[in-house]
């Protein structure tokens, strides 16, 4: 991982230790990624809707357009990442019929946030540029999501236990 990514992760880790809750940490990560990486035009988080686990609902975000507030799990790239439990990287969203967002967006990455092997949230980044997400960037974004997952597990053990149930 590049020194730049390592420094950002160290910042996120330090902020997580000093902040009061996971939502401020998510907002900080979204803000920094949006500010620091000009190709990240929208950065945000979605939470698994509870108690039904049938959709994702918008959490903290920063960006230049209004995102979808609620995404059913059977729709979109966010739904695909949530149901598979794996990152979804699409560097040409126009060629992927699952993409639901803005016509301005050309690339999208969605990384599930896991607690006890269950998806509890996602980190979603959209770009107005094609071919934005390289393998090193994917690994960095996955590291950001894993960091948030560790804080979510600490913050809500009961929620973490429920996250492991089948959806």
């Amino acid at each position: 991982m590049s020194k730049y990514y390592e420094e950002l992760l160290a910042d996120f880790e330090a902020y997580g230790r000093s902040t009061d809750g996971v939502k401020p940490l998510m907002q900080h990560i979204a803000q920094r990624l949006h500010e620091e990486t000009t190709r990240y035009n929208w950065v945000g988080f979605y939470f698994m809707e509870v108690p039904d686990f049938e959709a994702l609902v918008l959490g903290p975000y920063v960006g230049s357009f209004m995102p979808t507030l609620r995404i059913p799990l059977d729709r979109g790239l966010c739904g695909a990442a949530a149901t598979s439990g794996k990152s979804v990287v699409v560097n040409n969203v126009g060629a992927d019929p699952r993409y639901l967002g803005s016509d301005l967006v050309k690339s999208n990455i969605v990384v599930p946030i896991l607690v006890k092997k269950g998806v509890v949230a996602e980190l979603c980044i959209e770009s107005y540029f094609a071919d934005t997400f390289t393998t090193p960037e994917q690994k960095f974004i996955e590291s950001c999501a894993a960091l948030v997952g560790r804080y979510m597990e600490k913050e809500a053990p009961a929620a973490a236990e429920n996250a492991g149930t089948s959806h």
Side-chain angles (χ1 to χ4, degrees):
M1 190 174 309
S2 77
K3 187 165 179 56
Y4 174 69
Y5 290 154
E6 288 174 6
E7 288 171 2
L8 275 175
L9 278 172
D11 170 74
F12 300 158
E13 187 73 52
Y15 190 87
R17 285 192 302 271
S18 67
T19 194
D20 185 28
V22 76
K23 283 186 180 178
L25 173 62
M26 290 173 159
Q27 188 67 50
H28 178 75
I29 290 171
Q31 188 75 40
R32 288 290 311 274
L33 290 177
H34 185 257
E35 289 171 357
E36 298 283 334
T37 309
T38 56
R39 292 170 293 119
Y40 293 3
N41 301 102
W42 191 91
V43 180
F45 292 86
Y46 282 91
F47 291 101
M48 186 66 76
E49 185 177 61
V50 290
D52 298 331
F53 300 101
E54 294 175 357
L56 297 153
V57 292
L58 183 63
Y61 73 93
V62 177
S64 52
F65 56 87
M66 183 61 191
T68 305
L69 299 177
R70 184 177 183 275
I71 302 170
L73 292 185
D74 63 351
R75 299 202 53 219
L77 301 176
C78 286
T83 55
S84 70
K86 295 182 178 5
S87 298
V88 174
V89 182
V90 179
N91 276 310
N92 177 8
V93 297
D96 193 317
R98 300 174 298 174
Y99 182 71
L100 301 173
S102 168
D103 291 342
L104 297 171
V105 172
K106 305 296 183 237
S107 298
N108 188 199
I109 184 170
V110 185
V111 178
I113 297 171
L114 305 174
V115 174
K116 300 210 178 186
K117 298 186 179 160
V119 175
V120 296
E122 293 181 335
L123 171 53
C124 177
I125 302 175
E126 295 181 297
S127 175
Y128 296 156
F129 303 92
D131 301 317
T132 291
F133 302 105
T134 63
T135 300
E137 277 182 288
Q138 178 180 342
K139 291 186 183 322
F140 166 66
I141 295 163
E142 289 170 343
S143 296
C144 293
L147 185 149
V148 171
R150 289 192 302 275
Y151 279 91
M152 290 183 85
E153 191 163 354
K154 289 179 198 172
E155 188 173 279
E161 287 173 24
N162 293 334
T165 60
S166 61
H167 308 299

